[in-house]
Every structure is written in structure tokens, then in C-alpha cells.
Amino acid sequence: MYIFKKTSELQQYVKTLTSKPGFVPTMGALHQGHISLIHQSKQENDLTVCSVFINPTQFNDPKDFDKYPITLAADIEKLLNAGTDILFLPSVEEMYPDGIQAQTNYPLGFIDTVLEGKFRPGHFQGVCTIVHKLLDAVTPANLYMGEKDFQQCMVIKKLLSILDSKIALHTCATLRESNGLAMSSRNERLLAEDRLRAGAIFENLMMIKSIMKVQSFQSLQEKALHALIDKQIAPEYLLLCEADTLVELPDFDFEKKMALLIAAKIGNVRLIDNLRLN
Ligand code: PAF
């Protein structure tokens, strides 16, 4: 596996290839979910690039940035075992030579105003800023992202259309721990007992799905919120949305594609998850 720290060197190398690579952008603290993206990229591309870069501009809460897990040695080992061809490992100065205030404003529209966009103002602008820079550096044919970050995948789809890009976005299924907890780098920050309790997040999404035909969303939402609070999990939102637009739905509408989206805090760790309903 080659490791490049400079955009120009990575670009030079990629130019010598006969086909454009598959790309998996990450912020490190790699888990099986990331590795499944690498595996998919390896199946569909001659060469796979993974980036590890903790992007300061997407953290609206500086404490969250300071506490983001860093496990570089373990990440490199996992990437080697997964057969990754190239690791792009830039510094903050490399990605933001003019400082982290120098951000573009992307016209993301509605999608940037709801759910994560509402609770984490500026987050998606930061994500788009860095993904745009990473795509310019890697010049991939295919981009692989996890469906755990449901709204992020939609934002990146929008970014690709704003950029009039030909890069194909592949959203890959969420991998879960044995208690149902969606795999996430942030899980590393949970105490063992909290990690077990966190299974209640997915359990309650599944509870709603299993009885959605016979009860209103409002009553199931209330039931789920109470169940989570009983387990000392603090929900920020638990909403029913149209899956293709993220427009909030007041109640189930089986004519539409629907998804549940949730953000909740356990201690000071904020987790998100989602479930498609049909
Ligand atoms: O999903 C992530 O890990 C990050 O948001 C991404 C896409 C790597 C951009 O920093």
C-alpha cells in the first residue's frame, strides 16, 4: 500500500493509471463498516484509494473534534489487511492551505436545513468542502459511502450534481454490532455499558417498523422516545421522513418511500441512525 501525504503527489500517481480508482473517504478510527466499503470498491475497481483525514470544518462542536478517536496505526493495519492500494493521509495544512476559515458555500438548499443540518449548523458545508477537495485530489470514478450517514449520502449526491461530476456515488448498507448498534467511529468513545445500552436506538426503530401498519407515527414516536429516555439515552430527534427528499411526514404514508432518522446522545457521545421502512 502506498501512502501519500501530498495532493500533488497523489494526483501525479493517479494520472499514470489506466483507469480511475474507487474511493473511500474516512476520518479514520476504522471499523468493519469502512472495511466493507473498501471490499466493495475492490470488487468494482482496479485500484482503491482510502483517505484518513479528520476534517476540522465539519465539527460544529469543538469538543467533538478534540475527542474524535485517532487510531492511525490500527487503521493502517486494517487497510493493509483489506488490500487497500493507496492511503491518502494529508495534514490540515495540506487540505486547508489558506486556513480552515476559507470555505466554499455550496447551494445545498432544503437538505442542509433539516435534521443534521438543523442540529449541526455548518456541518454539511464542512463535509462538502472537504469531499470536494478530496475528490479533486483522488479523481475517482466511483465513490463509496455508508448509509448510516443517510443525509450525508444525499448531500454528497447533491454536491456531485452541483459540481456536474461524473463520479458515481455508491451508498452501502449499514453494518451493525451484535446488539443492533450501527457501527460508527464514535462507538469507540462509549463506555462498555453504554455501548450495550445504545442497542436500544436501533431496537426502537425496529419496534416502530414492526407495528407501523396498526398505529400512528405520533404514538409510536412517543413510545420510542420514552423507551430511550428510560435507558438514559437522550434523543435529539426521531423523525419520519420521505426517504428520497427528507421532507418530514406527520404520519405513515405507504404510497411514499419512508425512512426513520434519529440522533441521540449517550453521555456526551452523539449517535445517529436510520431505517428505511418500505
Ligand atoms: O463520513 C465521514 O467520515 C466524513 O464525513 C467524510 C465523508 C470522510 C468527510 O470528512
Side-chain angles (χ1 to χ4, degrees):
M1 180 172 78
Y2 287 119
I3 301 182
F4 291 101
K5 294 189 169 184
K6 297 269 178 253
T7 301
S8 55
E9 287 167 14
L10 172 64
Q11 279 170 334
Q12 241 169 17
Y13 181 79
V14 172
K15 263 192 213 144
T16 66
L17 302 170
T18 47
S19 61
K20 290 186 168 182
F23 178 41
V24 180
T26 82
M27 297 205 297
L30 301 181
H31 50 69
Q32 208 44 46
H34 295 117
I35 301 304
S36 73
L37 302 180
I38 305 264
H39 286 157
Q40 186 166 340
S41 172
K42 279 185 67 69
Q43 273 172 21
E44 298 171 0
N45 301 276
D46 292 341
L47 191 130
T48 291
V49 181
C50 175
S51 63
V52 170
F53 178 70
I54 305 180
N55 174 34
T57 66
Q58 72 187 75
F59 289 86
N60 53 317
D61 175 1
K63 277 185 275 163
D64 192 25
F65 177 60
D66 291 341
K67 288 189 192 139
Y68 203 83
I70 301 175
T71 58
L72 185 58
D75 291 348
I76 290 177
E77 176 137 4
K78 285 177 191 166
L79 291 173
L80 279 169
N81 289 338
T84 313
D85 301 286
I86 293 177
L87 166 58
F88 183 43
L89 189 62
S91 64
V92 172
E93 294 69 33
E94 179 67 15
M95 295 319 279
Y96 293 98
D98 300 321
I100 59 171
Q101 306 310 330
Q103 274 194 67
T104 317
N105 210 317
Y106 296 88
L108 299 173
F110 174 77
I111 192 95
D112 195 18
T113 65
V114 292
L115 304 157
E116 292 300 283
K118 183 166 160 189
F119 282 86
R120 303 184 66 191
H123 168 65
F124 287 128
Q125 292 297 334
V127 169
C128 286
T129 302
I130 195 61
V131 170
H132 188 180
K133 287 169 186 276
L134 290 168
L135 294 177
D136 282 350
V138 180
T139 60
N142 294 298
L143 171 64
Y144 297 85
M145 303 188 86
E147 205 175 39
K148 196 218 65 166
D149 298 303
F150 196 91
Q151 191 174 6
Q152 174 171 272
C153 291
M154 293 175 73
V155 163
I156 297 303
K157 193 170 154 204
K158 174 95 189 181
L159 173 71
L160 293 174
S161 91
I162 292 169
L163 300 176
D164 204 13
S165 166
K166 293 197 171 54
I167 299 167
L169 172 65
H170 304 261
T171 56
C172 309
T174 304
L175 261 61
R176 297 184 179 279
E177 301 188 3
S178 55
N179 65 348
L181 175 64
M183 287 190 185
S184 162
S185 303
R186 286 191 170 79
N187 296 352
E188 293 299 311
R189 286 181 47 212
L190 293 168
L191 300 173
E193 60 188 287
D194 289 348
R195 197 156 175 157
L196 276 180
R197 259 183 325 127
I201 295 173
F202 187 59
E203 229 168 70
N204 277 280
L205 297 185
M206 291 294 280
M207 177 280 287
I208 294 176
K209 184 171 182 172
S210 69
I211 39 184
M212 66 182 178
K213 295 263 164 66
V214 290
Q215 281 189 38
S216 71
F217 174 63
Q218 206 189 342
S219 68
L220 292 175
Q221 183 192 36
E222 250 169 59
K223 192 170 161 168
L225 292 176
H226 281 132
L228 291 170
I229 292 163
D230 274 353
K231 294 220 158 166
Q232 272 133 47
I233 298 173
E236 246 175 32
Y237 61 77
L238 164 54
L239 295 173
L240 173 69
C241 294
E242 217 180 313
D244 293 335
T245 59
L246 291 189
V247 169
E248 193 180 331
L249 294 170
D251 203 352
F252 301 113
D253 178 347
F254 295 96
E255 307 278 284
K256 294 186 166 142
K257 277 195 211 160
M258 297 178 286
L260 295 169
L261 293 106
I262 185 167
K265 272 189 169 172
I266 304 195
N268 58 8
V269 182
R270 187 177 183 279
L271 302 171
I272 58 171
D273 202 354
N274 64 79
L275 182 64
R276 286 181 182 272
L277 295 182
N278 48 358

